[in-house]
Amino acid sequence: MNSEILIASPIVSVEWLQENLSATNLIVLDGTINKVFDASQNQIPNTRFFDIKKKFSDVSNPFPSAFPSAEQFQNNARALGINKNSAIVVYDDKGIYSSARVWWLFKAFGFNNVAVLNGGFPAWLNAEYQTEPMTLYKGDLGSFEAKHQPEFMRFFEDVKKISKEKTHKIIDARSENRFKSLEAEPRAGLRSGTIPSSVNLPFKNLFKDGLLMQKDELIPIYNTLANQEEDIVFSCGSGITACVLALGAIISGYNNISVYDGSWTEWGSLVEE
């Protein structure tokens, strides 16, 4: 295949990616969080490393993986050779974890021709598809344009108001034990607890055999917590796995959704209860 592609779904299979690897506008991104360049590691052919922590987060923010400015996002996306007409597939090495954050960031900056690879790199390896040593992108600058869509992300003052006035359903992606304060938070010194009026949907509940469930399996899970007309804010520990819930929600037909960027790390640090 040598033509340009338009990605119709927010999620694609490894079989789909294998069939479309030669599409002229395809860009594959490795969005594994906390990863550093290592030529001894393997990647899907022609992958470009999307460095969430250092390149696509506001590193001046005291909280981790904070939402970047449009200028920062645009400049670093262009440095990866991403164009206005690119078709992006993003994966990570856990299955679907931080790749959903990358997908959501692109959407938050007005770019929709992007999808998450279902099952991520583990599924690619399980299918025994070709890999190559990790390489740094050194090609041309892209023409990507970031157009901030403010409704995609919520911040501390937004969520304070939402929690108090109960205008949105707040759904927390952390594990049940963390949500119920039965297990300590992984971030040192961070108190346990929950955002008032929030409910729990552990992001791992959306998976079966390492793959995100099908739409007809996801819909009943979401429907127990919110109807499709409700406004929803997804939260988690630091704004990463909340995006996994956003991915499942979009697939399930929910549209009025946003992600709380600072999530529990910010809330638990700033609010004493």
Side-chain angles (χ1 to χ4, degrees):
M1 174 183 288
N2 291 308
S3 58
E4 292 192 357
I5 52 172
L6 193 65
I7 303 175
S9 167
I11 195 161
V12 297
S13 67
V14 292
E15 293 80 12
W16 183 96
L17 181 57
Q18 168 69 13
E19 289 170 8
N20 288 279
L21 266 182
S22 61
T24 52
N25 66 330
L26 178 71
I27 291 179
V28 181
L29 298 177
D30 178 356
T32 302
I33 200 163
N34 294 327
K35 190 173 189 174
V36 295
F37 176 74
D38 181 356
S40 69
Q41 296 189 47
N42 286 336
Q43 63 181 25
I44 293 171
N46 300 316
T47 289
R48 303 171 195 186
F49 177 49
F50 186 100
D51 190 341
I52 294 177
K53 285 289 190 184
K54 294 194 173 105
K55 301 285 189 185
F56 293 94
S57 295
D58 176 5
V59 294
S60 68
N61 192 297
F63 301 107
S65 309
F67 192 62
S69 68
E71 182 182 23
Q72 179 189 353
F73 192 89
Q74 176 172 292
N75 289 342
N76 286 307
R78 286 180 175 183
L80 287 175
I82 297 170
N83 294 309
K84 289 183 280 190
N85 70 328
S86 292
I88 298 171
V89 174
V90 57
Y91 70 88
D92 63 59
D93 65 8
K94 291 182 174 65
I96 295 181
Y97 185 74
S98 53
S99 54
R101 171 75 179 190
V102 179
W103 164 81
W104 193 249
L105 283 173
F106 274 102
K107 290 179 71 65
F109 286 111
F111 189 87
N112 290 307
N113 199 14
V114 57
V116 172
L117 183 65
N118 202 0
F121 197 51
W124 186 266
L125 293 176
N126 287 342
E128 299 183 348
Y129 290 138
Q130 183 183 354
T131 61
E132 64 181 18
M134 191 175 180
T135 54
L136 283 175
Y137 176 75
K138 294 178 180 176
D140 295 336
L141 287 176
S143 61
F144 178 86
E145 292 183 359
K147 298 170 184 172
H148 181 217
Q149 312 294 306
E151 70 275 12
F152 278 78
M153 303 299 286
R154 302 289 174 182
F155 301 96
F156 180 67
E157 292 299 330
D158 302 323
V159 179
K160 252 199 337 186
K161 188 169 187 286
I162 286 166
S163 174
K164 182 180 179 182
E165 298 179 3
K166 298 182 171 61
T167 53
H168 298 56
K169 184 68 67 79
I170 304 171
I171 303 180
D172 191 320
R174 291 178 298 163
S175 68
E176 184 179 6
N177 283 346
R178 284 171 66 191
F179 184 78
K180 291 182 175 178
S181 301
L182 301 174
E183 182 182 310
E185 288 297 307
R187 185 175 174 88
L190 179 62
R191 72 176 179 91
S192 295
T194 59
I195 299 169
S197 76
S198 62
V199 296
N200 187 212
L201 173 55
F203 82 96
K204 290 184 178 178
N205 290 9
L206 306 184
F207 292 87
K208 187 184 290 182
D209 301 325
L211 298 175
L212 192 71
M213 292 178 183
Q214 298 290 322
K215 178 178 180 177
D216 60 352
E217 298 171 292
L218 291 171
I219 288 174
I221 295 172
Y222 283 90
N223 282 352
T224 61
L225 298 175
N227 65 57
Q228 294 194 351
E229 289 70 45
E230 282 185 90
D231 292 313
I232 302 172
V233 178
F234 293 112
S235 181
C236 58
S238 61
I240 302 297
T241 59
C243 299
V244 180
L245 293 192
L247 176 64
I250 290 280
I251 291 169
S252 301
Y254 290 76
N255 295 307
N256 305 324
I257 64 175
S258 54
V259 167
Y260 173 22
D261 190 51
S263 284
W264 181 253
T265 299
E266 181 179 61
W267 187 277
S269 300
L270 298 183
V271 179
E272 295 179 10
E273 287 185 5

